[in-house]
Amino acid sequence: QVQLVESGGGSVQAGDSLTLSCVASGRAFSRDTMGWFRQGRGEDREFVAAISFGAGRSVHADSVQDRFTISGDSAKNTIYLQMTNLKPEDTARYYCAADIATHGQLGRFVGGGYNYIGQGTQVTVSS
């Protein structure tokens, strides 16, 4: 059974930093795409960032470019999201997800496609 478990969320002030972690178990994702989505209260789930272990590339949403950085360790089945200069509009539940359907391509994940998703971790940024 595949599980994705996120950690690292919390309540911070605007301008602070947080690092989220996601550990996957149940299968290896060494050639797949993993990443993060977020969903604010009353909003649709949106793409944040993704990393392709297969292609060795990553991509970030425009809204977080230059503030958030995704990284990962395929050997540990773990990804991270370093978030800096947090803003109140970053307040959301952050979900780790994995796409095994496209063998490391990023497009499907960026478009909201995934095969597995975790329970999420809450990030709250106050002004």
Side-chain angles (χ1 to χ4, degrees):
Q1 181 181 358
V2 173
Q3 284 190 315
L4 304 176
V5 180
E6 305 95 336
S7 62
S11 296
V12 297
Q13 298 289 317
D16 285 350
S17 300
L18 277 176
T19 297
L20 306 183
S21 300
C22 170
V23 180
S25 61
R27 65 159 281 160
F29 293 95
S30 57
R31 295 186 178 185
D32 301 306
T33 298
M34 295 183 68
W36 299 91
F37 295 98
R38 68 184 182 185
Q39 187 169 18
R41 182 173 295 182
E43 299 178 359
D44 294 331
R45 187 173 296 171
E46 65 172 346
F47 165 76
V48 176
I51 183 168
S52 167
F53 290 129
R57 296 188 296 124
S58 63
V59 62
H60 300 77
D62 289 343
S63 59
V64 305
Q65 190 75 41
D66 297 328
R67 298 188 300 121
F68 292 10
T69 303
I70 190 170
S71 62
D73 185 338
S74 60
K76 296 182 179 180
N77 251 12
T78 301
I79 62 169
Y80 308 94
L81 185 68
Q82 293 177 286
M83 306 185 293
T84 65
N85 191 22
L86 283 160
K87 304 176 180 180
E89 51 263 44
D90 294 319
T91 295
R93 192 162 187 85
Y94 285 70
Y95 297 88
C96 173
D99 170 24
I100 64 170
T102 59
H103 307 292
Q105 299 299 310
L106 290 166
R108 179 173 180 259
F109 195 99
V110 173
Y114 56 84
N115 297 96
Y116 306 102
I117 194 164
Q119 295 297 309
T121 185
Q122 180 68 33
V123 173
T124 301
V125 185
S126 54
S127 57

